[in-house]
Amino acid sequence: MPATSELIIDVARRAGRLSDEQVAEAENRRSGQLDEFGRGPSLRETVVALEFLSEGELCELAAAELGLPVASLTNRRISGEVLSKVSREMALQHTVLPLAVEPDRLVLAVADPFDLMVIDELGYRLGLAIDTEVAPPDQITAAIARFYGGDPGEVVVAGSGDAAVPDGKDTETDDEPVVQALHTIMADAVRREASDIHLEPLERRFRVRYRIDGRLLEVEGPPKRLQLALISRVKIMAELSIAEKRLPQDGRIQLRIEGRAIDLRVSTVPTAHGESVVMRLLDAAGLKPDLGELGLEEGDVVTLRRLTALADGMVLVTGPTGSGKTTTLYSCLQEINRPDRKIITVEDPVEYQLSGVNQVPVRSEVGLTFATALRAMLRQAPNVVMVGEIRDRETAEIAINAALTGHLVFSTLHTNDAASAVTRLQDLGIPAFLIASALRASIAQRLVRRICSACKHEVKPTSAEHIEFAAAGITLNRLCQGAGCPECNGTGYRGRVALFEFFVVNAEIEHMMHDHAGLLALRNEARRLGMRSLRYDGLRKAAAGVTTLDEVLAATVSDSD
């Protein structure tokens, strides 16, 4: 049965025929029966197996919801001309039965009227408009055996059908090629250590790209004819509605690929040529919870550990989307995750599960925003609070008040450098004296690509490169770069490392913030006290052979800017 039958369960729940407790029990039972590729019984099948509702009752509810007739198949007579329009294999594969035919229309009995992909596909294959009636799947299967012959319990392997197809229409859109193609794309992305998979419908082709080390790499994509089936397969696995193609949707897939547990955050957006799908790969094994593994210099590790040991106050991590802020925050939480400390987070969404940490996902559709979740969390008497992102004044005010009332608060902001966190909070409407009292430090970070260790070699610095490093006060003895090899897909880079900038608030800077000092004055004072900029940290890593000067210059701005 298609996984779109979850829509039928929703209809039954809204009609009061299923309780939330019954649906939850069915979902738990179903999740325990899925294999590593997310295959297994549908929620509809599980509800029937638990005897909460029969297939007949579900069909009546679905038909009433869509205003469709319920087909009676018991004493039905169907002519050979009608049966010839749909092959036995196609009928078994999709659990459909042809009932009547007109010159340009075909009436079909279907088990799942919400599965518009199948209905559209059959109409496309047959060159006919499709009218549907609803019937229980066991009745359709029995009728197929009666009219076509054969074992009613036979399972047809997708792709084995020989249905007639109008000229110029391809049959290779069956389930098995689609499942195999999607698994190949996902497994290849995991092997290449990609962070995202992009499935992009274009006018004449279906493009697949991986984001590897922050850069998009196009790979060979499947045929354009598989576009609809592939996207629908992803949406089914993510428990999204394949009937809804006009609005963006978000979902999640949990898989095991090559022995590794992988979470995929799925986002769909309608475009001119179909739905664009992006899958963010979250590999818990790739999470680096130890502060020493983040790429911090030894002195910065000491500073960050001192900040995480504070009893109260606010520590912010700043940077653009995709700069590794969440990883840094998780590392900070893991550093202080002990039985004697209660830690609560509110995230959108929860990216990784941290053992021993209470993690709350934002659900805006039911009113659970960052602000409402944070307000409720503070009544749970936590020692440490993490807010995934401060986006508005309300969230900022609650977070600041929490930091001033005995809680250690971690959060993120989108700013260009560490000191700009002060002005960003002021832009959100937070008074300067509250920022001065609550803020303990702001950390800016960027991600740059590491030189591939398999093809790294030394090169002689140019005079311009000597000048760049000398201006920062760094003595340059060598530079390294990657030649490009199979290990790094010929790019010369493999993996990424973070650049950091620590803006630590001391008594002098606190006094300056209280007096409404400008951003330039705060930045200059911090540098006088020893703050190293993002550019300087990058140049140090380039001089150490970790990354290249080109990467540093692309990710950071000059200290004079």
Side-chain angles (χ1 to χ4, degrees), residues 121 213 306 357 383 393 415 470 483 488 546:
E121 180 187 340
D213 297 335
R306 178 172 58 82
V357 176
N383 302 104
R393 177 173 181 170
T415 65
C488 60
V546 176

PDB file of all heavy atoms in Angstrom, residues 121 213 306 357 383 393 415 470 483 488 546:
ATOM      1  N   GLU A 121       0.067   9.115 -13.117  1.00  0.00           N
ATOM      2  CA  GLU A 121       0.968   8.290 -13.917  1.00  0.00           C
ATOM      3  C   GLU A 121       0.191   7.358 -14.834  1.00  0.00           C
ATOM      4  O   GLU A 121       0.523   7.197 -16.021  1.00  0.00           O
ATOM      5  CB  GLU A 121       1.881   7.471 -13.003  1.00  0.00           C
ATOM      6  CG  GLU A 121       2.851   6.573 -13.770  1.00  0.00           C
ATOM      7  CD  GLU A 121       3.627   5.652 -12.854  1.00  0.00           C
ATOM      8  OE1 GLU A 121       3.708   5.943 -11.639  1.00  0.00           O
ATOM      9  OE2 GLU A 121       4.142   4.648 -13.355  1.00  0.00           O
ATOM     10  N   ASP A 213      32.017  20.044   1.520  1.00  0.00           N
ATOM     11  CA  ASP A 213      32.914  21.061   2.084  1.00  0.00           C
ATOM     12  C   ASP A 213      32.456  22.472   1.711  1.00  0.00           C
ATOM     13  O   ASP A 213      33.270  23.347   1.419  1.00  0.00           O
ATOM     14  CB  ASP A 213      34.350  20.832   1.613  1.00  0.00           C
ATOM     15  CG  ASP A 213      34.915  19.513   2.093  1.00  0.00           C
ATOM     16  OD1 ASP A 213      34.439  19.015   3.125  1.00  0.00           O
ATOM     17  OD2 ASP A 213      35.820  18.968   1.430  1.00  0.00           O
ATOM     18  N   ARG A 306      36.582  28.090  30.076  1.00  0.00           N
ATOM     19  CA  ARG A 306      36.313  29.006  31.191  1.00  0.00           C
ATOM     20  C   ARG A 306      34.909  29.603  31.046  1.00  0.00           C
ATOM     21  O   ARG A 306      34.179  29.749  32.030  1.00  0.00           O
ATOM     22  CB  ARG A 306      37.359  30.112  31.200  1.00  0.00           C
ATOM     23  CG  ARG A 306      37.144  31.147  32.312  1.00  0.00           C
ATOM     24  CD  ARG A 306      38.312  32.117  32.410  1.00  0.00           C
ATOM     25  NE  ARG A 306      38.541  32.826  31.162  1.00  0.00           N
ATOM     26  CZ  ARG A 306      37.843  33.909  30.784  1.00  0.00           C
ATOM     27  NH1 ARG A 306      36.865  34.372  31.560  1.00  0.00           N
ATOM     28  NH2 ARG A 306      38.124  34.514  29.655  1.00  0.00           N
ATOM     29  N   VAL A 357      20.444  15.607  27.580  1.00  0.00           N
ATOM     30  CA  VAL A 357      20.023  16.999  27.373  1.00  0.00           C
ATOM     31  C   VAL A 357      18.564  17.011  26.942  1.00  0.00           C
ATOM     32  O   VAL A 357      18.146  16.233  26.079  1.00  0.00           O
ATOM     33  CB  VAL A 357      20.901  17.686  26.306  1.00  0.00           C
ATOM     34  CG1 VAL A 357      20.399  19.103  26.023  1.00  0.00           C
ATOM     35  CG2 VAL A 357      22.354  17.728  26.757  1.00  0.00           C
ATOM     36  N   ASN A 383      19.844  24.798  34.747  1.00  0.00           N
ATOM     37  CA  ASN A 383      21.105  25.507  34.993  1.00  0.00           C
ATOM     38  C   ASN A 383      21.613  26.159  33.715  1.00  0.00           C
ATOM     39  O   ASN A 383      22.176  27.260  33.750  1.00  0.00           O
ATOM     40  CB  ASN A 383      22.177  24.543  35.518  1.00  0.00           C
ATOM     41  CG  ASN A 383      21.768  23.844  36.783  1.00  0.00           C
ATOM     42  OD1 ASN A 383      21.414  22.679  36.777  1.00  0.00           O
ATOM     43  ND2 ASN A 383      21.791  24.576  37.900  1.00  0.00           N
ATOM     44  N   ARG A 393      12.923  40.473  19.071  1.00  0.00           N
ATOM     45  CA  ARG A 393      13.082  41.168  20.342  1.00  0.00           C
ATOM     46  C   ARG A 393      12.569  40.337  21.505  1.00  0.00           C
ATOM     47  O   ARG A 393      13.205  40.280  22.558  1.00  0.00           O
ATOM     48  CB  ARG A 393      12.336  42.499  20.287  1.00  0.00           C
ATOM     49  CG  ARG A 393      12.390  43.277  21.602  1.00  0.00           C
ATOM     50  CD  ARG A 393      11.796  44.654  21.467  1.00  0.00           C
ATOM     51  NE  ARG A 393      11.888  45.388  22.732  1.00  0.00           N
ATOM     52  CZ  ARG A 393      11.626  46.682  22.858  1.00  0.00           C
ATOM     53  NH1 ARG A 393      11.256  47.378  21.800  1.00  0.00           N
ATOM     54  NH2 ARG A 393      11.734  47.272  24.021  1.00  0.00           N
ATOM     55  N   THR A 415      25.648  37.737  12.583  1.00  0.00           N
ATOM     56  CA  THR A 415      26.409  38.980  12.477  1.00  0.00           C
ATOM     57  C   THR A 415      27.710  38.706  11.745  1.00  0.00           C
ATOM     58  O   THR A 415      28.124  37.556  11.580  1.00  0.00           O
ATOM     59  CB  THR A 415      26.728  39.582  13.863  1.00  0.00           C
ATOM     60  OG1 THR A 415      27.594  38.686  14.579  1.00  0.00           O
ATOM     61  CG2 THR A 415      25.473  39.817  14.684  1.00  0.00           C
ATOM     62  N   ALA A 470      52.997  39.218   6.403  1.00  0.00           N
ATOM     63  CA  ALA A 470      53.818  40.158   7.166  1.00  0.00           C
ATOM     64  C   ALA A 470      52.965  41.275   7.758  1.00  0.00           C
ATOM     65  O   ALA A 470      53.214  41.731   8.881  1.00  0.00           O
ATOM     66  CB  ALA A 470      54.908  40.742   6.274  1.00  0.00           C
ATOM     67  N   ALA A 483      47.167  19.049  -4.644  1.00  0.00           N
ATOM     68  CA  ALA A 483      47.321  18.893  -6.087  1.00  0.00           C
ATOM     69  C   ALA A 483      46.037  18.411  -6.745  1.00  0.00           C
ATOM     70  O   ALA A 483      45.836  18.619  -7.947  1.00  0.00           O
ATOM     71  CB  ALA A 483      48.456  17.904  -6.374  1.00  0.00           C
ATOM     72  N   CYS A 488      40.009  13.489  -2.890  1.00  0.00           N
ATOM     73  CA  CYS A 488      39.340  14.790  -2.713  1.00  0.00           C
ATOM     74  C   CYS A 488      38.551  15.190  -3.950  1.00  0.00           C
ATOM     75  O   CYS A 488      38.243  16.380  -4.128  1.00  0.00           O
ATOM     76  CB  CYS A 488      40.355  15.864  -2.347  1.00  0.00           C
ATOM     77  SG  CYS A 488      41.654  16.125  -3.558  1.00  0.00           S
ATOM     78  N   VAL A 546      47.257  24.101   7.217  1.00  0.00           N
ATOM     79  CA  VAL A 546      45.939  23.496   7.415  1.00  0.00           C
ATOM     80  C   VAL A 546      45.009  23.837   6.252  1.00  0.00           C
ATOM     81  O   VAL A 546      44.260  22.999   5.762  1.00  0.00           O
ATOM     82  CB  VAL A 546      45.322  23.963   8.750  1.00  0.00           C
ATOM     83  CG1 VAL A 546      43.903  23.416   8.915  1.00  0.00           C
ATOM     84  CG2 VAL A 546      46.192  23.545   9.913  1.00  0.00           C
TER      85      VAL A 546
END
